[in-house]
Amino acid sequence: MIQRKQTIFLMLAACAMAACFLFPIASFQAKSSLGVQVSGELNLIPKQVPEMMTQILNNEPVTMGQKGFINTWPLVVLTVAVTLIALVSIFMFKNRVRQMRVAAVGFFLSVVDVFLIFFWAIDSYISKVTPPMECVDIQVHYDISTWLPIAVVVLMILATRSIKKDEEKVRAADRLR
C-alpha cells in the first residue's frame, strides 16, 4: 500500500533533497592580506553567472577555467538523482524487494553526496576563491543545505527498515495460509 511509513520517509527525503537547491551549502568569511573582509557563499547553482548563461543560450562553448563555471555539477547530479530515486521508490510499493533495493541505492548516493559536500565542494570552493586575495583567518559556516543530505541518509535508512518490516509481515502472513 502506498500509505505506509516508508512513503512518508521517502517523501520527506525527496523534499529535503529538493530544498538543497533553495539554500546555500556554506558561507565563508575571511580577512585578506590588505585587511579587507572577504565573504562568499557556495550554492548548488550559482546565483550570478550572466556571462555563462549568455554563452549557453548562444550555443557557445563554456570552459571549466572561466569565471562563473558551475563547479558543483557532481553535487547537482547526485541531488537530482537522490530526489528522483526517492520519488520513484514511493511508487514501487507492489514489489517491496525492489523498493528496498532502490531505497538502498538512494541511501548510498546520499552518503556519497554528504562526502562530496564536506570533503570536496567546500574545500575546493575556498581554495579557489581565497588564494588570489591571499586570505587568512577563514571561517566556514555550514548552512542548511549541508545538513539536509545528512537528514536524507537517516530518512533513507528508516524507509529501508520500514520496507523490510512490511516484507517480513507479508511473508509471515503467507506462511500462515
Side-chain angles (χ1 to χ4, degrees), residues 17-171:
M17 287 307 276
C20 288
F21 286 103
L22 303 175
F23 302 105
I25 295 172
S27 57
F28 76 94
Q29 293 179 341
K31 193 176 268 190
S32 72
S33 59
L34 300 173
V36 178
Q37 281 292 108
V38 178
S39 62
E41 188 175 80
L42 175 64
N43 292 299
L44 279 178
I45 299 176
K47 302 245 189 240
Q48 297 175 345
V49 286
E51 61 218 32
M52 189 175 72
M53 294 308 278
T54 56
Q55 281 179 309
I56 292 172
L57 292 174
N58 294 332
N59 290 326
E60 296 173 10
V62 178
T63 60
M64 288 184 74
Q66 82 180 52
K67 182 180 178 186
F69 178 74
I70 301 173
N71 62 350
T72 57
W73 66 267
L75 294 176
V76 172
V77 169
L78 279 173
T79 303
V80 169
V82 172
T83 304
L84 291 177
I85 284 173
L87 289 175
V88 166
S89 180
I90 291 172
F91 298 104
M92 294 182 155
F93 58 90
K94 290 185 180 180
N95 190 344
R96 282 173 295 283
V97 175
R98 184 179 296 155
Q99 186 182 28
M100 197 171 7
R101 288 182 184 153
V102 169
V105 169
F107 163 76
F108 174 73
L109 289 178
S110 60
V111 168
V112 171
D113 190 31
V114 169
F115 177 79
L116 285 178
I117 285 173
F118 279 104
F119 296 107
W120 174 74
I122 295 172
D123 289 338
S124 68
Y125 179 74
I126 291 172
S127 65
K128 190 179 216 180
V129 172
T130 57
M133 300 175 202
E134 298 176 6
C135 293
V136 293
D137 192 30
I138 302 169
Q139 298 173 347
V140 178
H141 304 284
Y142 299 110
D143 290 323
I144 193 164
S145 286
T146 305
W147 306 113
L148 284 175
I150 294 172
V152 169
V153 169
V154 172
L155 289 168
M156 289 300 228
I157 289 171
L158 292 173
T160 305
R161 287 179 61 197
S162 296
I163 296 166
K164 186 176 180 181
K165 285 181 183 177
D166 276 358
E167 182 63 22
E168 289 171 357
K169 284 180 188 176
V170 169
R171 289 190 184 203

